[in-house]
Amino acid sequence: MTEKILLETDIDGLGPVKRGKVRDIYDLDEHFLIVVATDRISAFDVVLPNGIPDKGHILTSLSEFWFNIMEDLVSNNLISTDVTDFPGICHPYADQLKGRSMLVKKTSV
């Protein structure tokens, strides 16, 4: 289990950041995003003040699992969950990002 609950990320040099109820999204450029699953709890569209330890790791693991299982049936935007594959500007934040973040291609909704 992670020692610290991560409720918010702050990665200098990346931006702009968009904060959802659970995920923080960093815009790298016109092609890529970093999506970070935090340990925040959301209930009835309200973000609660406490977090759940390792929630971000579990959410990212589940997403990665299903993206990989389904990739032969439907394309997805996942590039990597390995922080060493992320741009160098992210490497100083590897402890914060490891296991809870995804490098993805931008897509149209």
Side-chain angles (χ1 to χ4, degrees):
M1 186 187 298
T2 304
E3 294 177 19
K4 183 180 175 190
I5 294 174
L6 183 68
L7 297 178
E8 186 174 288
T9 60
D10 184 21
I11 300 175
D12 291 333
L14 290 184
V17 64
K18 294 181 182 176
R19 295 197 198 287
K21 289 179 264 181
V22 175
R23 290 176 177 84
D24 293 346
I25 302 171
Y26 292 91
D27 194 335
L28 295 179
D29 58 28
E30 68 269 12
H31 302 291
F32 304 104
L33 300 170
I34 298 275
V35 179
V36 184
T38 67
D39 300 325
R40 292 191 295 262
I41 305 168
S42 171
F44 304 105
D45 286 334
V46 174
V47 177
L48 302 174
N50 300 319
I52 297 175
D54 283 335
K55 180 182 177 189
H57 290 106
I58 293 166
L59 290 175
T60 300
S61 293
L62 283 168
S63 295
E64 180 182 26
F65 173 82
W66 285 110
F67 281 141
N68 289 332
I69 289 291
M70 301 299 288
E71 70 184 341
D72 292 337
L73 299 174
V74 62
S75 61
N76 62 65
N77 65 341
L78 178 63
I79 296 170
S80 181
T81 58
D82 185 349
V83 178
T84 61
D85 294 336
F86 293 11
I89 196 164
C90 299
H91 295 171
Y93 303 93
D95 289 345
Q96 194 177 139
L97 297 173
K98 186 177 179 183
R100 65 171 66 245
S101 58
M102 300 186 296
L103 175 65
V104 300
K105 294 178 273 189
K106 283 187 182 177
T107 62
S108 299
V109 178

